[in-house]
Amino acid sequence: MSANAKSKFTADIKMRNGHEYSGVEFTTPKSWDKEVAVKINGEKLKIKGDSIDHIVFWPTKYPDNPQIICWHTYGSIDNKTGEYKPNCGHNAKKGEPSKQWFAIHAAGEHVNLWSCFSSIKLTGETVSFTTTLSSPYFFQKHDGLFVHIPFTLFKSGKTREWLSTFFSDGYSQQIDPLWII
C-alpha cells in the first residue's frame, strides 16, 4: 500500500470514556491482540483495546456494509448449576479474566450472538472473519456477559443441554449492563 493509497476500511470508534473517533482510517493487522492501529488526519495512533467500547467499521468503498467489533471478556456457564465462570488464562494476566476480539453475528432484542475472530479479510465488498476455534460463538444477554456456546461432535446433546440451562431462569448474573447494541 503506498503512502497516498486509501485505507481498505473506515471506522467509527466509540471509547469507554464517551469520546468518539469518526471516519478514521482503520487497518486490520494480520495478527493483533490488545490494541488497534488507526490513522486520524494522517497521524498514526494505536488505541488500547481496553479503552474501546466498540468499533463500527466498513470497507471504504462499500459504506453500506458496516461491521461491529469489540474487545471483551468472556466465560462459560456450568450447565448443571447455571453459574457463570470467567475464562482466566488465555491472553490474560494471572487471575484476570481473558479477553478476545468479537464481531457481532446477529443482534436480537434479548440476546446477541457474537463470534470471536483472529483475523479480518476483505474480498470485494465481503468482510470475512476467521478463527481457529471449532466453536467460536458466544451469546450476550442484557447482563453484558459474553458466554461461550459449547459444541462437540462426540456429545450431540451437550449443546442442547447447555442452551436449556442458558435460556432458563437459573442463569443470572448481577453485573452492570455493558449492552452495546
Short mmCIF file of all heavy atoms in Angstrom, two decimals, residues 75-85 147-148 150 161-162 165-166 168 170-171:
data_model
loop_
_atom_site.label_atom_id
_atom_site.label_comp_id
_atom_site.label_asym_id
_atom_site.label_seq_id
_atom_site.Cartn_x
_atom_site.Cartn_y
_atom_site.Cartn_z
N GLY A 75 -16.56 -15.94 29.16
CA GLY A 75 -16.53 -17.06 30.08
C GLY A 75 -17.50 -18.13 29.63
O GLY A 75 -17.91 -18.18 28.47
N SER A 76 -17.88 -18.97 30.57
CA SER A 76 -18.81 -20.05 30.28
C SER A 76 -19.74 -20.22 31.47
O SER A 76 -19.52 -19.65 32.53
CB SER A 76 -18.04 -21.35 30.01
OG SER A 76 -17.25 -21.69 31.14
N ILE A 77 -20.81 -20.99 31.26
CA ILE A 77 -21.67 -21.31 32.39
C ILE A 77 -21.65 -22.81 32.61
O ILE A 77 -21.48 -23.59 31.67
CB ILE A 77 -23.13 -20.82 32.20
CG1 ILE A 77 -23.80 -21.46 31.00
CG2 ILE A 77 -23.20 -19.32 32.13
CD1 ILE A 77 -25.30 -21.25 30.97
N ASP A 78 -21.79 -23.17 33.86
CA ASP A 78 -21.86 -24.57 34.23
C ASP A 78 -23.28 -25.03 33.91
O ASP A 78 -24.25 -24.46 34.43
CB ASP A 78 -21.57 -24.72 35.72
CG ASP A 78 -21.56 -26.15 36.18
OD1 ASP A 78 -22.57 -26.85 35.97
OD2 ASP A 78 -20.54 -26.57 36.77
N ASN A 79 -23.43 -26.05 33.06
CA ASN A 79 -24.77 -26.45 32.63
C ASN A 79 -25.56 -27.14 33.74
O ASN A 79 -26.76 -27.35 33.59
CB ASN A 79 -24.72 -27.31 31.37
CG ASN A 79 -24.03 -28.64 31.59
OD1 ASN A 79 -23.32 -28.82 32.57
ND2 ASN A 79 -24.22 -29.56 30.67
N LYS A 80 -24.93 -27.47 34.84
CA LYS A 80 -25.66 -28.08 35.97
C LYS A 80 -26.11 -27.02 36.99
O LYS A 80 -27.21 -27.05 37.48
CB LYS A 80 -24.82 -29.15 36.63
CG LYS A 80 -24.58 -30.35 35.71
CD LYS A 80 -23.81 -31.43 36.40
CE LYS A 80 -23.50 -32.64 35.57
NZ LYS A 80 -23.57 -32.63 34.18
N THR A 81 -25.22 -26.06 37.29
CA THR A 81 -25.55 -25.05 38.31
C THR A 81 -26.02 -23.73 37.71
O THR A 81 -26.63 -22.93 38.41
CB THR A 81 -24.31 -24.75 39.18
OG1 THR A 81 -23.30 -24.12 38.37
CG2 THR A 81 -23.77 -26.01 39.84
N GLY A 82 -25.70 -23.48 36.44
CA GLY A 82 -26.07 -22.21 35.82
C GLY A 82 -25.13 -21.08 36.21
O GLY A 82 -25.37 -19.94 35.87
N GLU A 83 -24.04 -21.39 36.91
CA GLU A 83 -23.11 -20.36 37.38
C GLU A 83 -22.17 -19.92 36.26
O GLU A 83 -21.61 -20.73 35.54
CB GLU A 83 -22.29 -20.92 38.55
CG GLU A 83 -21.30 -19.95 39.11
CD GLU A 83 -20.44 -20.56 40.22
OE1 GLU A 83 -20.70 -21.71 40.63
OE2 GLU A 83 -19.50 -19.89 40.64
N TYR A 84 -22.01 -18.60 36.13
CA TYR A 84 -21.08 -18.04 35.15
C TYR A 84 -19.67 -18.09 35.72
O TYR A 84 -19.43 -17.73 36.87
CB TYR A 84 -21.46 -16.59 34.84
CG TYR A 84 -20.46 -15.90 33.95
CD1 TYR A 84 -20.49 -16.07 32.57
CD2 TYR A 84 -19.46 -15.08 34.47
CE1 TYR A 84 -19.58 -15.45 31.73
CE2 TYR A 84 -18.54 -14.45 33.65
CZ TYR A 84 -18.60 -14.65 32.29
OH TYR A 84 -17.68 -14.03 31.47
N LYS A 85 -18.73 -18.52 34.89
CA LYS A 85 -17.32 -18.57 35.29
C LYS A 85 -16.50 -17.88 34.22
O LYS A 85 -16.46 -18.33 33.07
CB LYS A 85 -16.86 -20.02 35.46
CG LYS A 85 -17.56 -20.72 36.58
CD LYS A 85 -17.06 -22.12 36.76
CE LYS A 85 -17.86 -22.74 37.90
NZ LYS A 85 -17.42 -24.02 38.29
N VAL A 147 -20.85 -15.29 26.80
CA VAL A 147 -20.85 -16.67 27.27
C VAL A 147 -20.64 -17.62 26.09
O VAL A 147 -21.40 -17.60 25.13
CB VAL A 147 -22.18 -17.01 28.00
CG1 VAL A 147 -22.16 -18.43 28.51
CG2 VAL A 147 -22.44 -16.02 29.13
N HIS A 148 -19.61 -18.44 26.20
CA HIS A 148 -19.26 -19.37 25.13
C HIS A 148 -20.32 -20.45 24.96
O HIS A 148 -20.83 -21.00 25.93
CB HIS A 148 -17.91 -20.04 25.43
CG HIS A 148 -17.43 -20.90 24.32
ND1 HIS A 148 -17.33 -22.26 24.44
CD2 HIS A 148 -17.05 -20.59 23.05
CE1 HIS A 148 -16.89 -22.76 23.29
NE2 HIS A 148 -16.72 -21.77 22.44
N PRO A 150 -20.89 -24.05 23.98
CA PRO A 150 -20.09 -25.25 23.77
C PRO A 150 -20.63 -26.11 22.64
O PRO A 150 -21.83 -26.13 22.38
CB PRO A 150 -20.20 -25.98 25.11
CG PRO A 150 -21.51 -25.55 25.66
CD PRO A 150 -21.71 -24.14 25.18
N GLU A 161 -28.41 -29.32 25.91
CA GLU A 161 -28.49 -29.23 27.38
C GLU A 161 -28.01 -27.86 27.86
O GLU A 161 -28.62 -27.23 28.71
CB GLU A 161 -27.62 -30.34 27.98
CG GLU A 161 -27.64 -30.42 29.48
CD GLU A 161 -26.75 -31.55 29.99
OE1 GLU A 161 -26.79 -32.65 29.42
OE2 GLU A 161 -26.00 -31.30 30.95
N TRP A 162 -26.92 -27.40 27.28
CA TRP A 162 -26.37 -26.10 27.64
C TRP A 162 -27.35 -24.97 27.31
O TRP A 162 -27.56 -24.07 28.11
CB TRP A 162 -25.05 -25.88 26.90
CG TRP A 162 -24.40 -24.59 27.27
CD1 TRP A 162 -23.52 -24.38 28.28
CD2 TRP A 162 -24.60 -23.32 26.65
NE1 TRP A 162 -23.15 -23.05 28.32
CE2 TRP A 162 -23.81 -22.39 27.31
CE3 TRP A 162 -25.38 -22.89 25.57
CZ2 TRP A 162 -23.77 -21.05 26.96
CZ3 TRP A 162 -25.34 -21.55 25.22
CH2 TRP A 162 -24.53 -20.65 25.91
N THR A 165 -30.08 -24.68 29.85
CA THR A 165 -29.63 -24.00 31.07
C THR A 165 -29.49 -22.51 30.83
O THR A 165 -29.93 -21.69 31.63
CB THR A 165 -28.28 -24.58 31.54
OG1 THR A 165 -28.43 -25.97 31.78
CG2 THR A 165 -27.78 -23.88 32.79
N PHE A 166 -28.86 -22.13 29.71
CA PHE A 166 -28.60 -20.72 29.42
C PHE A 166 -29.89 -19.91 29.33
O PHE A 166 -29.97 -18.80 29.82
CB PHE A 166 -27.81 -20.59 28.11
CG PHE A 166 -27.45 -19.17 27.78
CD1 PHE A 166 -26.38 -18.56 28.41
CD2 PHE A 166 -28.17 -18.45 26.85
CE1 PHE A 166 -26.03 -17.25 28.11
CE2 PHE A 166 -27.84 -17.14 26.53
CZ PHE A 166 -26.76 -16.54 27.17
N SER A 168 -32.81 -20.71 30.63
CA SER A 168 -33.70 -20.88 31.77
C SER A 168 -33.53 -19.71 32.73
O SER A 168 -32.63 -18.90 32.60
CB SER A 168 -33.38 -22.19 32.50
OG SER A 168 -32.18 -22.05 33.24
N GLY A 170 -32.52 -20.07 35.61
CA GLY A 170 -31.43 -20.44 36.51
C GLY A 170 -30.15 -19.67 36.24
O GLY A 170 -29.31 -19.53 37.11
N TYR A 171 -29.98 -19.18 35.02
CA TYR A 171 -28.77 -18.43 34.69
C TYR A 171 -29.04 -16.95 34.90
O TYR A 171 -29.85 -16.35 34.22
CB TYR A 171 -28.33 -18.68 33.26
CG TYR A 171 -27.30 -17.68 32.78
CD1 TYR A 171 -26.02 -17.67 33.34
CD2 TYR A 171 -27.60 -16.74 31.82
CE1 TYR A 171 -25.08 -16.75 32.92
CE2 TYR A 171 -26.66 -15.82 31.39
CZ TYR A 171 -25.40 -15.83 31.94
OH TYR A 171 -24.48 -14.92 31.54
#
